[in-house]
């Protein structure tokens, strides 16, 4: 298969996934209303009761990076459900009759997810600005923020595609979204990790969401970044490099019969 043919197949599958989301009410709510609801919830319901520890930031400034990840990551995690639905709902029989590469189908789900859910993070950021968030980012900082959020959504979507191919039902595939939604809560994103009990604090400092959130906070608020940028890039790059090839391999094995 030529690269041009594969690119055309990938484009058609991405368009298919995006159109399907537009026809599903739940998907529209997740990608548009949920980011705004989450932002309002944290700023107005929790914001007055939570201090930001040694950072000295206003709570809205502190929490915005975590909400960006939650808004994009939750929708990206649902990629597991869409790909599991294809595998169990009969669509895969149609794909078997088409001359497309084994990697194109999972890649189509992942690319469509990135497009949708980076948009969800943008909606959350717009809501934050309306609620009083005032970033100090330069143009270069904004480009790096976009790259980091895109990388996070890509990494979660890749893992979700792999999980959706490993399980045998859409119900089991849906469990992945709860794991992804949980990570920012036990990080330095919602409350300062320094305020947590010992075991939770250690987990918060050594899981992937924390360096990503700290890097976003540094870029948006013109703060020192330290080593968090390199650690975040390593987490995201490693996840994508491992997950996408494994998903393609698993898809070929499951459709070989």
């Amino acid at each position: 298969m030529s690269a041009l043919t594969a690119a055309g197949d990938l484009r058609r599958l991405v368009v298919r996934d995006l159109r399907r989301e537009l026809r599903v009410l739940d998907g529209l709510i997740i990608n548009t209303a949920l980011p705004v609801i989450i932002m309002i919830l944290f700023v107005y319901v929790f914001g007055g009761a939570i201090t930001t520890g040694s950072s000295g930031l206003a709570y809205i400034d502190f929490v915005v990076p975590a909400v960006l990840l939650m808004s994009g990551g939750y929708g990206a995690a649902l990629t597991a459900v869409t790909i599991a639905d294809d595998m169990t709902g009969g669509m895969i029989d149609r794909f078997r009759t088409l001359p497309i590469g084994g990697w194109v189908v999972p890649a189509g789900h992942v690319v469509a997810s990135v497009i949708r859910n980076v948009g969800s993070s943008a909606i959350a950021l717009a809501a934050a600005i309306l609620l009083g968030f005032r970033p100090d980012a330069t143009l270069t900082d904004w480009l790096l923020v976009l790259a980091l959020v895109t990388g996070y959504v890509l990494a979660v979507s890749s893992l979700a595609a792999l999980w959706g191919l490993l399980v045998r039902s859409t119900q089991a595939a849906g469990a992945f979204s709860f794991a992804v939604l949980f990570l920012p809560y036990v990080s330095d994103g919602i409350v300062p990790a320094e305020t947590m009990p010992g075991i939770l604090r250690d987990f918060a400092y050594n899981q992937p969401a924390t360096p990503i959130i700290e890097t976003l906070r540094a870029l948006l608020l013109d703060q020192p970044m330290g080593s968090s940028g390199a650690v975040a890039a390593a987490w995201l790059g490693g996840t994508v490099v491992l997950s996408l090839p494994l998903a393609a391999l698993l898809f070929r094995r499951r459709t070989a019969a």
Side-chain angles (χ1 to χ4, degrees):
M1 177 185 295
S2 69
L4 187 61
T5 300
D9 292 339
L10 179 61
R11 178 185 61 81
R12 285 185 283 272
L13 287 172
V14 170
V15 171
R16 166 192 172 256
D17 286 335
L18 292 174
R19 285 177 174 172
R20 179 170 62 177
E21 287 298 320
L22 290 174
R23 295 193 295 267
V24 178
L25 180 60
D26 291 352
L28 288 175
I29 292 174
I30 288 172
N31 284 283
T32 55
L34 185 62
V36 178
I37 293 171
I38 291 175
M39 186 61 68
I40 292 173
L41 179 68
F42 279 109
V43 172
Y44 286 128
V45 178
F46 300 145
I50 299 176
T51 62
T52 59
S54 60
S55 71
L57 295 172
Y59 188 65
I60 188 172
D61 296 331
F62 182 85
V63 80
V64 162
V67 175
L68 295 183
L69 296 194
M70 292 172 68
S71 299
Y74 180 73
L78 293 178
T79 302
V81 177
T82 60
I83 199 167
D85 185 54
D86 274 353
M87 299 302 293
T88 60
M91 180 57 69
I92 203 63
D93 295 327
R94 170 61 176 161
F95 288 148
R96 283 196 184 101
T97 68
L98 301 175
I100 59 177
W103 63 272
V104 175
V105 174
H109 283 280
V110 169
V111 173
S113 172
V114 170
I115 294 171
R116 287 194 310 269
N117 294 298
V118 170
S120 293
S121 293
I123 292 172
L125 180 60
I129 291 173
L130 289 175
L131 294 174
F133 177 59
R134 295 296 179 263
D136 296 318
T138 65
L139 177 59
T140 301
D141 292 336
W142 280 116
L143 292 175
L144 291 172
V145 167
L146 176 61
L148 193 58
V149 171
T150 302
Y152 179 75
V153 173
L154 175 61
V156 173
S157 301
S158 302
L159 270 178
L162 181 59
W163 177 254
L165 289 164
L166 283 170
V167 299
R168 299 289 175 170
S169 70
T170 55
Q171 290 80 10
F176 184 74
S177 61
F178 292 100
V180 171
L181 194 62
F182 171 77
L183 278 182
Y185 282 98
V186 191
S187 72
D188 197 41
I190 307 301
V191 299
E194 64 193 38
T195 66
M196 298 178 184
I199 295 177
L200 285 179
R201 183 173 63 247
D202 292 340
F203 176 79
Y205 282 136
N206 293 283
Q207 58 114 323
T210 290
I212 299 170
I213 288 168
E214 289 177 346
T215 304
L216 285 172
R217 198 176 284 143
L219 292 170
L220 290 168
L221 301 174
D222 192 25
Q223 293 188 333
M225 184 179 301
S227 62
S228 64
V231 176
W235 271 110
L236 296 178
T239 300
V240 173
V241 167
L242 290 174
S243 299
L244 279 180
L246 286 174
L249 177 63
L250 189 57
F251 179 82
R252 285 197 295 269
R253 288 188 174 181
R254 286 195 59 181
T255 57

